[in-house]
Amino acid sequence: MKRGITSLVAMIGILATTLVWAQSADELVIVRPSDPVSLDAQEETTAPGAWVFGNVIEPLITLNADMEIEGRLAERWEFVDDTRLRFYLREGIEFHDGTPFNAEAVKFTWDRSLFADPPGRWASLAGPIASVDVVDEYTVDIVAEKPYGPLLLTSTMVYTGVVSPAAVERLGEDYARNPVGTGPFKFVEWRTNESITLEANDDYWRGRPELDRVVFRTVPEAGARTLALQSGEADMLLKPNPADLASFESSEAFDVHAATGLRVFYLGFNLERAPLDEPLVRQAIAHAIDVPGIVENLLEDAATVPTSVISPGVLGYADMNLDERYPYDPDAAIALLEEAGFTQNDAGIMERDGEELTLQMLPAAGRYLQDQEVAEVIQEFLRQAGIQVELNVFEWATTFTELREDPLQYDMFSFGWLTTTADADYTMYSNFRSDQFPPESWNSWRYANDEVDELLTQAREETDVATREGLYADVQAILAEDLPAVPIYNTIEVTVVGADVEGFEPHPIEYNLDLYPVSKAE
Amino acid sequence: MLAYLIRRILLAVPILLGVVAVVVASLEIVPGDPVALMLGEFATPESIEATRTELGLDRPLVVRYVDYVAGVFQGDLGTSIKDRRPVATIIGETLPATAQLAAVAILVALAVGLPLGVASAARPHGVVDNAVRVLSLAGLSMPVFWTGLVFIVFFSVELGWFPVAGRGTWRHYVLPSVTLALPSIAILARMTRASLLEVLQEDYVRTARSKGVGSLQILYKHALRNALIPVVTALGLQLGQMLGGAVLTETVFSWPGLGRLTVFAIFNRDYLLVQGVVLVLATVYVTVNLLVDVSYGFLDPRVRYA
């Protein structure tokens, strides 16, 4: 019995002395839903990783919160000719491991992602980039095979952040958990599924950041994240629950920051399947859904009503007035279906040639804001127009795989797409060109239109921004008519911080979380 | 005793092999491609194929199973598809968090459940007994994730006594371990009560009583020890339950343990990681069962192993 008590006391002692987690004024604690896969920018293409390594490594240029291009490791840049983009680098900068930053490091970083076997995960975004040439110690050229309009914006991506070649060579596979760059914060520690800690880089070239430490904590349960902020255990909440926003907004203890996001959430149609191959049916469905109602009531205004297939803020965006073109009008929906040869039977269901109109839908669930709830509401709206929808709800792994299947086994699906590069090419080319059907790429709706194909090729090979914008406006106009998908909402990037957190600016690009200007009031 | 132990340990091997076989087969049936998921939206069919080959996922199921088992005997649980790190390392990082939580919860359950059970049995149908029975019904009926959230709202947000989530100081242990212990407290209290009442009917207790031994002494010295056998069985089962219940508790309290790891691994279709976790959990179950059986001998010398 005595031994039992001794071991009990010993146990309590051990527990009490395990790491004490204390919060200081210059430490910023951030809560978010999930841990990264990797902290190596060439492997990790999800936001939880980018939020962290985006503060450790830096790209040559970056898009600020106003979506203007700003220099980072590059002081200035110019197109030498249509295929050659030249960057003049800042001199005298050192990586966190003390090795010098130069053109070789840039080449090393890009080559490592683009030309390795298998290539890094953002290689497909880099399109026709052929090589990275070192001109001299502080000058480097990114060279495309042919004129490539999105080249400049591709270079702003957080994934292109320059890594220390010495660290990559020294650490090998361990680099993925120990990133080394030139950024305002140095990586300290990653406790898997628990926390990631960064500390201020005293020698940062723009001057030391205000914060001493940043701790990213993984809190998967949405309610617990909200409570962590409310109880003061956390200073910043990423991806808040829409339902909690009203209470945060009305409280003086918190500030809610919002920026129009670059992700659009769609109801997609499988154009290979009848009757969705008929434009009348697709237009009827668009009229049957109360999009503003969904945004206002279900999403509690944590999103906006989309006006085109891409988001405002993306280069090439044109307002297509989708909300006015296809207003919520159940009678118009029924009239269009009748025009397509359907009649309403006694049970109120649309019928043609003795067959009831029933559509199989594959909704995303648990991947995007309120995705499953949106699908359920759509099901109800369509039922009111006489269309039966059967929802096939799976968790994300299954849905993701099903979406890549060729042919697609469903009539409709819901899906969100983020224009990562803030350049229309990124969404348009992979989603609407006829040679981009899954599994090759993401034209899951199987949209094929020769005119669109041609316009998209022209726009990609054009380097004049105004001309490109005109071409993308033409594509959006055709898509608004053809309607391969109905945009349902446009994301808003919302971040909630404690009122003592200063200097934070929300960014339209989900991956960009700039902690350099952030400070905490005493 | 030694022969018994060796036989039990040898018997555990086919059980564990079977568990792994079932897991391997069931993961194969579950839809969802781990490689496409891991590489994300930017992946090309070529890079998906290359990664599949690199990870050996293109080999037939039987080959992968045999390879896996061979690896396990050399202490190699394979490499996580998502993390690209050895499964053994990842489990090694998370197992202590769960083990500590379960250990504290078991201690809490024992420290509260046993005395409550004894107090109940000392005066059946008295005030204490009735209160304990109502409370243990409540403890069994409330789902863990709900109790956890109620605790957080009350003790963390309203009173500010304990942190909302995470692992660190002793304060972080209080809410999750109590949450996890609640159902076990209820079961232990009821088992102890029932078992004690039964033992108190036995002849030897009556003999002791007729010799004039005090009732407290009878309760603690004579009856309790014999009454503990079913309680120990329940305790073993509870430990297993706790490792399972940890999935919910760990999610609610953001506890970085094996339960949450399992959920992540399943969602990511991280086959080898799921297999590794299941193997570890099954091993713990088998071991706990063995320890329970062995402990009978210490509690009741009449129990013999053959």
Side-chain angles (χ1 to χ4, degrees), chain B residues 92 126 161 195 219 245 286:
Chain B
W161 289 355
S195 180
L219 202 59
V286 169

Side-chain angles (χ1 to χ4, degrees), chain B residues 139-224:
Chain B
L140 280 175
S141 321
M142 284 191 301
V144 163
F145 59 89
W146 189 76
T147 343
L149 279 179
V150 170
F151 278 1
I152 291 177
V153 169
F154 190 70
F155 292 106
S156 304
V157 180
E158 293 296 323
L159 296 173
W161 289 355
F162 303 107
V164 171
R167 173 175 173 239
T169 61
W170 65 271
R171 292 151 71 99
H172 285 91
Y173 282 81
V174 176
L175 295 184
S177 62
V178 171
T179 306
L180 196 55
L182 273 185
S184 302
I185 290 174
I187 286 175
L188 286 183
R190 301 192 73 158
M191 290 286 296
T192 311
R193 173 186 186 273
S195 180
L196 255 181
L197 285 179
E198 202 173 298
V199 172
L200 288 173
Q201 308 295 323
E202 302 257 347
D203 289 345
Y204 75 92
V205 173
R206 208 170 330 136
T207 310
R209 205 167 266 153
S210 63
K211 286 198 316 194
V213 180
S215 56
L216 269 183
Q217 210 182 349
I218 288 179
L219 202 59
Y220 284 103
K221 197 153 185 192
H222 297 264
L224 188 59

Side-chain angles (χ1 to χ4, degrees), chain A residues 124 217 233 395 401 426 442, chain B residues 33 41-42 164-165 254 269:
Chain A
S124 63
R217 290 180 62 208
E233 272 173 56
E395 30 60 88
T401 309
Y426 174 63
W442 284 96
Chain B
D33 178 359
E41 285 151 13
F42 308 152
V164 171
S254 305
R269 300 289 183 273

Side-chain angles (χ1 to χ4, degrees), chain A residues 8 11 15-16 18-21 36-37 45 118-119 121-122 124-125 159 173 177 191-194 217-221 224 227-228 230-231 233 263 367-368 395-398 400-401 404 415-417 420 426 439-440 442 511, chain B residues 31-33 36-48 50-51 54 82-85 93 100 103-104 107 149 152-153 156-157 162-170 172-173 251-252 254 256 260-261 264 266-267 269:
Chain A
L8 181 73
M11 182 115 202
L15 294 179
T18 43
L19 182 95
V20 176
W21 170 64
V37 176
T45 52
R121 296 199 198 155
W122 61 271
S124 63
L125 301 187
Y159 309 117
E173 284 189 0
R177 295 179 67 85
R191 299 160 74 96
T192 306
N193 287 336
E194 196 171 339
R217 290 180 62 208
T218 307
V219 179
E221 222 280 321
L227 294 173
Q230 281 173 344
S231 68
E233 272 173 56
R263 192 186 290 281
R367 170 71 178 79
Y368 312 105
E395 30 60 88
W396 179 241
T398 308
F400 185 84
T401 309
R404 291 186 67 98
F415 184 55
W417 187 266
T420 311
Y426 174 63
E440 189 60 42
W442 284 96
Y511 302 97
Chain B
D33 178 359
L37 194 68
M38 175 185 90
L39 296 181
E41 285 151 13
F42 308 152
T44 58
E46 296 79 42
S47 61
I48 291 178
T51 310
E54 190 192 322
K82 181 122 185 159
D83 252 12
R84 302 281 186 105
R85 291 194 301 147
E93 284 169 5
Q100 282 174 7
V104 176
L107 287 179
L149 279 179
I152 291 177
V153 169
S156 304
V157 180
F162 303 107
V164 171
R167 173 175 173 239
T169 61
W170 65 271
H172 285 91
Y173 282 81
T251 304
V252 172
S254 305
R260 262 176 71 202
L261 183 69
F264 286 139
I266 293 172
F267 273 117
R269 300 289 183 273

Side-chain angles (χ1 to χ4, degrees), chain A residues 332-372:
Chain A
I334 291 169
L336 283 168
L337 287 173
E338 284 172 349
E339 202 184 322
F342 287 91
T343 48
Q344 218 159 358
N345 68 16
D346 298 338
I349 297 162
M350 285 293 175
E351 223 179 59
R352 189 168 68 179
D353 307 327
E355 245 184 273
E356 290 187 341
L357 181 48
T358 303
L359 301 173
Q360 296 293 326
M361 177 168 175
L362 177 71
R367 170 71 178 79
Y368 312 105
L369 181 66
Q370 303 285 80
D371 43 13
Q372 191 180 335

